[in-house]
């Protein structure tokens, strides 16, 4: 018996050895194509990091509990106001109820009614599984190379970058060409009813001065400390609608949750449409992918409308061409019974009625009461990438980071306050200045939220320079009135232009 199986065992051994050799060769070739660098500037002690003002400010802000629902936005607003007043700003704090607040301050420019608004939100996500945190969620603990704390990523780090950029304008003591407004709003994590939506509704005299909003939502894909694959400025997002499904029996909602997950995996596996926003974004983003199959497919994004090539694509690419409904947790309803929150994300151009019928068909939600939360008025999915502020960002990035591909970003999942400003007719863009490793972004909303300090410090400086460039040397309006208004500073930018024009013409 043993003798008879020797040839088979030998063949298996040789086969496995061959597969191992081939695998090592493939790994070696891939490793050669992705350079790895070690940045020794990461090797600092906590005290050395605290020598930087931006680190001290972030640590102090992280130590204020502004979480939903227990924390106090008012305490966060008062702390921000103190930092602004220290630099000479006049600050308005609007307190709403016992814990909510909005805040704004203004640097007057020569153009008073076309202001650049640096918008951020004060509140942060709740603390999930507090016992699993390595450090206290509101400790602001520095464990090099990171600082830990709820809101470190979303979005207190960017808030401090905006704060320091605004203070730099004040300290410069010159009148900028463009008015700049620092706007901190509340309630973003629970729908912005008392935050951005409140400001837009209750303060028309302030909103009338808004020209462009610069907020969260941008992204940087860094695969190691020396290589950035893509630096995206967000210009578009899907429409987010919150649906509360209510029933007296939690088992019925459990069944609905399972049905929705099945529906999302199988029935919605094929895409519905390729929007203008995806056609702009994907041909520029696609060439930065490492996998040649993705590069070839995304170069002609209309091929995503074929179900077969869509299935192996990353989920975020799939989400750019289809509507989705995501069920969350089942919890007791305030008026009795139980409720299941469902996040519905609709593609641009899809009506609310059409989208809900697709992702929440009657067969799934029969006998379940649905409550829909959607802002009034029309939904505007995107802002024009020919806008002077987007053009200013593109020119700025071309000058300071010519080594990276910068382009538009269409984020399929993130539902920021940008959607409310766009619906009010205000061009809005998301810019993220921190070239942090992609793996570090995974801590957002989870336990041990953190941000690496070296990219943070460098990003604060970058953001200050960007705001200064946009405020003192904005791209003139007539520069974008001409055809082909994208920046033409390099061959790389020309390739970006060609990709956009080709995609838009299909």
């Amino acid at each position: 018996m043993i003798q008879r199986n020797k040839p088979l065992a030998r063949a298996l051994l040789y086969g496995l050895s061959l597969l191992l050799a081939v695998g090592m060769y493939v790994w070696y070739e891939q490793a050669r194509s992705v350079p790895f660098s070690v940045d020794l500037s990461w090797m600092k002690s906590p005290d050395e990091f605290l020598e930087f003002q931006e680190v001290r400010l972030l640590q102090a802000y992280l130590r204020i509990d502004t979480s939903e629902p227990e924390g106090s936005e008012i305490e966060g607003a008062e702390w921000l106001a103190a930092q602004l007043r220290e630099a000479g700003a006049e600050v308005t704090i609007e307190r709403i109820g016992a814990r909510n607040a909005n805040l704004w301050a203004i640097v007057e420019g020569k153009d008073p009614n076309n202001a650049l608004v640096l918008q951020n939100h004060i509140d942060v996500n709740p603390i999930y599984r507090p016992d699993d945190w390595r450090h206290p969620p509101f400790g602001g603990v520095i464990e090099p190379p990171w600082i830990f704390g709820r809101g470190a990523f979303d979005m207190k780090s960017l808030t401090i970058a905006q704060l320091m950029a605004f203070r730099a304008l004040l300290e410069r003591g010159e009148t900028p060409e463009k008015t700049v407004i620092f706007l901190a709003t509340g309630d973003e994590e629970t729908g912005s009813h008392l935050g951005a939506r409140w400001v837009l509704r209750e303060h028309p005299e302030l909103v009338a001065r808004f020209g462009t909003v610069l907020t969260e939502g941008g992204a940087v894909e860094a695969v190691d400390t020396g290589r950035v694959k893509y630096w995206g400025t967000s210009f578009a997002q899907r429409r987010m609608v919150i649906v509360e499904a209510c029933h007296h029996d939690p088992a019925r909602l459990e069944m609905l949750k399972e049905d929705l997950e099945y529906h999302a995996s199988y029935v919605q596996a094929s895409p519905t449409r390729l929007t203008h926003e995806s056609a702009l974004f994907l041909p520029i983003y696609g060439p930065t992918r490492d996998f040649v199959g993705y590069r070839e497919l995304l170069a002609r994004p209309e091929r995503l409308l074929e179900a077969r090539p869509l299935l192996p694509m990353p989920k975020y690419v799939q989400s750019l061409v289809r509507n989705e409904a995501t069920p969350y947790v089942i919890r007791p309803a305030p008026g009795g019974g139980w409720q299941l929150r469902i996040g519905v994300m609709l593609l641009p151009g899809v009506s609310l009625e059409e989208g809900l019928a697709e992702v929440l068909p009657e067969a799934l939600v029969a006998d379940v009461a649905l409550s829909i939360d959607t802002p009034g008025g029309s939904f505007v999915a995107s802002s024009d990438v020919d806008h002077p502020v987007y053009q200013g960002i593109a020119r700025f990035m071309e000058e300071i980071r010519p080594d990276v591909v910068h382009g538009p970003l269409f984020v399929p999942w993130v539902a920021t306050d940008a959607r409310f400003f766009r619906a009010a007719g205000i061009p809005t863009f998301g810019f993220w200045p921190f070239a942090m490793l992609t793996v570090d972004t995974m801590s957002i909303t989870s336990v041990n939220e953190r941000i690496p300090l070296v990219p943070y410090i460098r990003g604060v400086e970058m953001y200050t320079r960007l705001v200064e460039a946009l405020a003192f040397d904005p791209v003139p309006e007539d520069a974008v009135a001409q055809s082909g208004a994208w920046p033409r500073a390099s061959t790389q930018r020309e390739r970006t232009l060609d990709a956009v024009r080709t995609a838009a013409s299909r």
Side-chain angles (χ1 to χ4, degrees):
M1 183 70 174
I2 295 177
Q3 293 296 325
R4 286 200 305 270
N5 287 337
K6 274 187 176 182
L8 176 60
R10 189 177 295 112
L12 287 173
L13 179 61
Y14 291 159
L16 288 173
S17 299
L18 179 60
L19 287 175
L20 180 61
V22 171
M24 292 182 66
Y25 174 77
V26 171
W27 174 85
Y28 171 72
E29 288 298 315
Q30 290 179 338
R32 284 202 313 163
S33 66
V34 181
F36 180 81
S37 58
V38 177
D39 187 348
L40 296 180
S41 62
W42 291 70
M43 308 304 293
K44 293 181 182 294
S45 69
D47 288 341
E48 288 177 306
F49 277 120
L50 285 171
E51 293 176 5
F52 293 88
Q53 182 186 25
E54 53 266 53
V55 175
R56 296 195 300 273
L57 288 172
L58 178 58
Q59 184 181 64
Y61 196 25
L62 288 173
R63 288 176 172 175
I64 301 173
D65 181 357
T66 60
S67 65
E68 297 287 351
E70 292 86 3
S72 172
E73 294 173 1
I74 293 175
E75 290 183 22
E78 290 175 342
W79 183 86
L80 289 171
Q83 311 311 312
L84 292 165
R85 292 184 179 121
E86 186 179 87
E90 294 185 10
V91 184
T92 299
I93 297 180
E94 180 182 37
R95 297 169 179 83
I96 305 173
R99 60 172 302 276
N100 296 103
N102 301 306
L103 169 151
W104 57 88
I106 303 174
V107 173
E108 295 291 353
K110 297 176 183 178
D111 183 354
N113 296 318
N114 189 29
L116 174 68
V117 182
L118 308 180
Q119 189 266 343
N120 58 81
H121 60 84
I122 303 170
D123 61 321
V124 298
N125 277 290
I127 304 303
Y128 307 110
R129 308 200 316 270
D131 294 339
D132 293 340
W133 281 69
R134 182 188 301 181
H135 302 290
F138 299 105
V141 175
I142 297 175
E143 182 182 299
W146 300 285
I147 184 169
F148 287 79
R150 174 58 87 221
F153 188 97
D154 180 22
M155 64 172 290
K156 290 186 174 181
S157 53
L158 184 55
T159 300
I160 298 301
Q162 292 183 334
L163 172 69
M164 293 195 69
F166 190 86
R167 284 173 45 141
L169 294 178
L170 290 166
E171 292 162 0
R172 180 165 170 168
E174 302 175 31
T175 302
E177 295 294 322
K178 186 183 289 290
T179 293
V180 179
I181 300 175
F182 181 92
L183 175 66
T185 58
D187 195 34
E188 192 269 350
E189 302 295 354
T190 54
S192 301
H193 299 279
L194 302 177
R197 294 161 77 171
W198 177 281
V199 170
L200 288 166
R201 183 179 67 251
E202 301 294 332
H203 297 283
E205 75 293 340
L206 177 67
V207 175
R209 305 189 64 186
F210 292 1
T212 315
V213 173
L214 199 60
T215 186
E216 63 180 333
V220 182
E221 284 190 342
V223 293
D224 63 50
T225 58
R227 180 184 177 222
V228 174
K229 290 172 63 177
Y230 193 77
W231 207 306
T233 296
S234 65
F235 75 107
Q237 60 188 155
R238 292 192 296 177
R239 183 180 191 179
M240 182 175 186
V241 179
I242 298 298
V243 177
E244 296 286 359
C246 300
H247 200 273
H248 63 86
D249 185 357
R252 174 66 182 93
L253 296 181
E254 285 286 359
M255 182 184 302
L256 174 60
K257 184 176 181 180
E258 293 177 3
D259 288 344
L260 288 173
E261 290 168 348
Y262 177 87
H263 186 67
S265 299
Y266 295 95
V267 180
Q268 290 178 225
S270 39
T272 57
R273 69 191 69 195
L274 180 67
T275 66
H276 168 73
E277 291 77 11
S278 293
L280 275 175
F281 165 53
L282 291 174
I284 302 171
Y285 179 75
T288 66
R289 302 302 87 197
D290 291 324
F291 181 48
V292 65
Y294 292 173
R295 293 199 299 269
E296 293 175 350
L297 184 56
L298 297 181
R300 295 176 53 202
E302 66 275 9
R303 293 182 57 203
L304 291 172
L305 297 182
E306 305 169 15
R308 177 175 290 180
L310 180 66
L311 294 177
M313 294 300 292
K315 191 177 187 303
Y316 70 89
V317 174
Q318 298 182 36
S319 296
L320 290 175
V321 291
R322 68 186 191 190
N323 303 307
E324 294 177 315
T326 302
Y328 300 118
V329 297
I330 298 171
R331 56 189 178 184
W338 298 82
Q339 64 184 20
L340 169 65
R341 171 166 289 195
I342 304 168
V344 175
M345 303 296 285
L346 304 179
L347 292 171
V350 176
S351 69
L352 181 61
E353 294 75 16
E354 177 188 0
L356 290 178
E358 180 181 326
V359 300
L360 297 175
E362 179 64 28
L364 295 186
V365 297
D367 79 341
V368 174
L370 300 181
S371 172
I372 302 172
D373 173 26
T374 181
S378 61
F379 172 73
V380 179
S382 59
S383 299
D384 191 351
V385 294
D386 278 340
H387 188 276
V389 168
Y390 182 92
Q391 294 299 306
I393 296 171
R395 292 177 188 273
F396 175 81
M397 290 299 298
E398 182 69 18
E399 290 177 6
I400 70 164
R401 290 301 304 265
D403 57 310
V404 305
V405 177
H406 170 266
L409 181 70
F410 179 14
V411 182
W413 300 317
V414 178
T416 68
D417 281 335
R419 65 194 191 272
F420 306 120
F421 294 109
R422 291 192 186 116
I426 304 167
T428 304
F429 302 99
F431 183 79
W432 181 254
F434 312 122
M436 49 194 282
L437 301 182
T438 302
V439 67
D440 281 323
T441 67
M442 298 177 183
S443 69
I444 184 173
T445 75
S446 68
V447 299
N448 298 317
E449 186 175 350
R450 67 190 187 186
I451 188 170
L453 283 168
V454 170
Y456 164 72
I457 293 167
R458 293 171 178 167
V460 169
E461 179 185 1
M462 172 191 283
Y463 203 89
T464 297
R465 292 174 60 188
L466 171 63
V467 172
E468 182 180 58
L470 295 175
F472 281 92
D473 189 25
V475 178
E477 295 287 345
D478 58 359
V480 297
Q482 306 166 10
S483 62
W486 285 64
R488 298 174 174 268
S490 71
T491 302
Q492 172 184 300
R493 192 62 60 192
E494 282 296 319
R495 290 196 296 268
T496 297
L497 250 177
D498 291 340
V500 171
R501 289 170 175 161
T502 301
S505 67
R506 293 190 179 118

